[in-house]
Amino acid sequence: MLDTIGERQLLDWQFQWRRTLEGYLRRLADNGVTRQSLDWPQSWHWDWRAKIDEVRGLLGHTGYSVVCRDVTQGMMRLDLASRMARIDDQMGKPLVYVDYLEIAPWNWNEPYADPPLYRGIGQLLIRTAIQRSFDEGFHGRVGLHSLPQAVTFYERCGFINLGANPNEYRGLLPYFEITTDRAKTFL
Amino acid sequence: MSKKTMTLNLTEAEMSALEALCAKKDLSKTGLMRQALRLYQMIDTRVERGGKLYFEDDQTREKSEIMML
């Protein structure tokens, strides 16, 4: 686990993740899966270089990456400053907000994809976000908006689904939050 | 990560506000100052890039701009 997303990670994304993703999207298209389908990966358009450039030098943002056999297997961007907890018991208190979390396409466990090369990368990143929350004095509180395809994953991690707000992300992304007790259980 | 220590001189009122915010946000004084710095830097950077900072009333949708001078 690296406590940064560096140039090497961005090159892995640019040349390895995207090549695998393109192959996977072609396979989906060959099987009649369209961009509107629920099986189409909802993060397919994410541009990690732009996401990192956007917050470069800002103290309130940080990134983590998982590297295995010299290749980046997952990345996560965190916001440590501008989001507050929403669950009643911890309302208004600071938390670690997961801006973006993605694993390398060859680790996806999805229809028409090859079996994942590595499992547990997403959980490892969530564990890191929770640990960072404890380290910051935020008592394990973590929040995020989930892509619909990832809802089950965050529920399995112990996050509470607070539903979608029509004023955020066009009402398409449900908001999830984990409490201190649940965070401890997860760790 | 190496850390630096500094002494902060605050008035009684400023210290009271700091302690009240620490209690409200469940943070140490160091944690609160760190959050304040992160937020201030983020806002300053966004405003320098041409962004504007608004508060919006949840009910009326009325917006009031915070002027960063």
Side-chain angles (χ1 to χ4, degrees):
Chain A
M1 176 69 68
L2 302 179
D3 59 354
T4 185
I5 296 174
E7 183 58 26
R8 178 58 200 270
Q9 279 67 56
L10 295 176
L11 288 171
D12 284 350
W13 164 76
Q14 194 168 344
F15 293 107
Q16 300 196 51
W17 290 33
R18 291 218 300 202
R19 190 177 57 221
T20 303
L21 176 63
E22 282 166 17
Y24 176 57
L25 294 181
R26 269 197 302 274
R27 194 182 295 180
L28 286 180
D30 290 346
N31 283 279
V33 178
T34 63
R35 214 187 269 190
Q36 289 72 36
S37 161
L38 289 176
D39 286 335
W40 196 267
Q42 290 164 342
S43 63
W44 72 275
H45 59 292
W46 284 11
D47 180 341
W48 275 96
R49 187 171 290 281
K51 292 181 191 311
I52 296 308
D53 283 346
E54 186 181 51
V55 297
R56 200 176 293 282
L58 294 181
L59 298 169
H61 285 85
T62 190
Y64 287 90
S65 39
V66 180
V67 177
C68 194
R69 295 198 175 170
D70 213 26
V71 178
T72 307
Q73 305 294 334
M75 294 190 281
M76 171 175 72
R77 194 185 96 176
L78 301 180
D79 179 347
L80 306 173
S82 69
R83 308 283 187 140
M84 298 294 161
R86 302 183 185 185
I87 289 176
D88 282 348
D89 287 352
Q90 52 194 34
M91 177 96 70
K93 293 181 177 165
L95 50 61
V96 166
Y97 180 82
V98 181
D99 279 329
Y100 303 99
L101 185 158
E102 190 175 29
I103 61 174
W106 51 81
N107 294 324
W108 291 357
N109 187 15
E110 297 293 340
Y112 308 110
D114 294 329
L117 190 58
Y118 297 106
R119 292 176 183 269
I121 304 291
Q123 282 184 329
L124 186 58
L125 287 165
I126 286 297
R127 181 180 300 273
T128 302
I130 290 172
Q131 190 56 57
R132 180 66 186 256
S133 174
F134 279 112
D135 293 346
E136 290 287 338
F138 301 167
H139 303 279
R141 296 182 291 262
V142 175
L144 57 90
H145 284 86
S146 170
L147 292 172
Q149 279 170 341
V151 161
T152 310
F153 168 73
Y154 292 116
E155 285 172 347
R156 277 206 310 267
C157 290
F159 282 77
I160 297 167
N161 186 346
L162 277 70
N165 179 333
N167 297 321
E168 297 172 335
Y169 306 105
R170 293 181 292 142
L172 298 174
L173 308 185
Y175 176 73
F176 282 80
E177 200 168 292
I178 196 164
T179 60
T180 300
D181 286 345
R182 284 169 174 252
K184 283 178 182 166
T185 303
F186 181 83
L187 290 183
Chain B
M1 188 181 298
S2 73
K3 293 184 176 173
K4 308 277 186 188
T5 303
M6 66 174 280
T7 305
L8 196 60
N9 291 312
L10 298 177
T11 65
E12 194 77 25
E14 289 164 345
M15 183 58 88
S16 295
L18 176 62
E19 286 171 345
L21 274 170
C22 286
K24 186 177 176 185
K25 298 295 178 185
D26 196 14
L27 281 172
S28 65
K29 289 191 182 78
T30 298
L32 192 104
M33 294 306 295
R34 190 175 285 140
Q35 287 301 89
L37 179 59
R38 286 168 173 167
L39 265 176
Y40 192 31
Q41 189 216 30
M42 183 187 300
I43 291 167
D44 185 59
T45 303
R46 296 283 293 269
V47 169
E48 256 187 11
R49 287 176 187 167
K52 287 182 176 177
L53 181 62
Y54 287 98
F55 279 110
E56 184 179 280
D57 188 296
D58 210 24
Q59 308 298 319
T60 64
R61 295 270 160 257
E62 190 180 331
K63 287 182 181 175
S64 52
E65 186 182 349
I66 309 296
M67 298 300 290
M68 297 282 289
L69 300 173

